Amino acid sequence: RSYSVVLEITTKGLSRSKHTLVNQTLEFQLCGEGTLPSVCVLRPSQGSSKADPLMQFGRRLVGKRHTLPLVLLNNGNIEAQVQIELVDEHGVFTIKPPPGDTKSTVQCEQLQEPPPLEGQMIHKVTVKLNVNERKRFEVCFCSNESVTIDTLMAVQVKDNQYSN
């Protein structure tokens, strides 16, 4: 983003030599450039009808775990902090950070509204990505009963109100 503004300052006062009232105007242009953190989702690469990334776990046997990757890339020119939230109304998902990653935080919280049933939670992951850094998370699905699930995962870049 580029920003531009013209700053104009007018002063009124007396001239030193003639003791007459004089107006002086100082005018100059200020320019600046700003940048916002930017992160893209590399995987899953296939999208929904709205072109949003889509994770499809498909049909699985009850009790069998299936894992899909979530790969993020900082394609901007400054460090980015990302918040991932996965609503898990049935308690069947987990999110694992990359092996050896000590900077990412993964939390599970009970859903607050509406009052949660047993097993209803939200998974929250916070991760920092340096420029051109990519991180791979594992999103796991495992259910001990036959269920059909349609839920949302939000990937939000902090300090970028245009990210969604």
Side-chain angles (χ1 to χ4, degrees):
R1 283 189 179 253
S2 294
Y3 303 92
S4 178
V5 67
V6 174
L7 178 66
E8 184 177 309
I9 302 170
T10 303
T11 60
K12 294 181 180 180
L14 297 174
S15 167
R16 289 187 201 168
S17 60
K18 302 181 182 175
H19 296 300
T20 58
L21 200 55
V22 175
N23 284 341
Q24 293 183 333
T25 301
L26 170 65
E27 183 178 310
F28 55 93
Q29 187 173 4
L30 297 174
C31 294
E33 238 179 72
T35 188
L36 294 171
S38 176
V39 171
C40 68
V41 177
L42 296 179
R43 291 192 70 193
S45 55
Q46 64 184 136
S48 67
S49 59
K50 293 188 278 184
D52 294 329
L54 179 65
M55 285 187 154
Q56 291 184 314
F57 287 91
R59 297 183 124 202
R60 299 288 160 220
L61 293 174
V62 171
K64 294 292 183 182
R65 178 175 301 278
H66 186 65
T67 302
L68 292 176
L70 171 65
V71 181
L72 304 177
L73 169 68
N74 180 348
N75 60 347
N77 55 7
I78 60 172
E79 180 183 84
Q81 185 169 351
V82 179
Q83 175 87 34
I84 303 166
E85 292 186 355
L86 171 62
V87 176
D88 186 2
E89 294 180 353
H90 299 278
V92 295
F93 290 103
T94 56
I95 301 177
K96 296 179 183 176
D101 183 353
T102 57
K103 295 180 183 176
S104 300
T105 59
V106 179
Q107 298 174 334
C108 262
E109 299 174 4
Q110 287 292 119
L111 284 173
Q112 299 301 315
E113 293 181 18
L117 300 173
E118 186 175 329
Q120 290 184 326
M121 58 187 62
I122 187 163
H123 301 274
K124 292 184 180 183
V125 178
T126 303
V127 59
K128 283 188 180 179
L129 294 167
N130 293 318
V131 176
N132 293 323
E133 182 180 13
R134 64 175 75 194
K135 286 210 178 169
R136 175 188 172 111
F137 294 86
E138 292 182 351
V139 181
C140 302
F141 171 82
C142 185
S143 177
N144 292 324
E145 60 183 277
S146 181
V147 292
T148 300
I149 297 173
D150 186 15
T151 191
L152 294 175
M153 178 187 294
V155 177
Q156 180 70 38
V157 180
K158 292 192 175 186
D159 298 325
N160 184 346
Q161 65 270 30
Y162 303 106
S163 164
N164 56 357

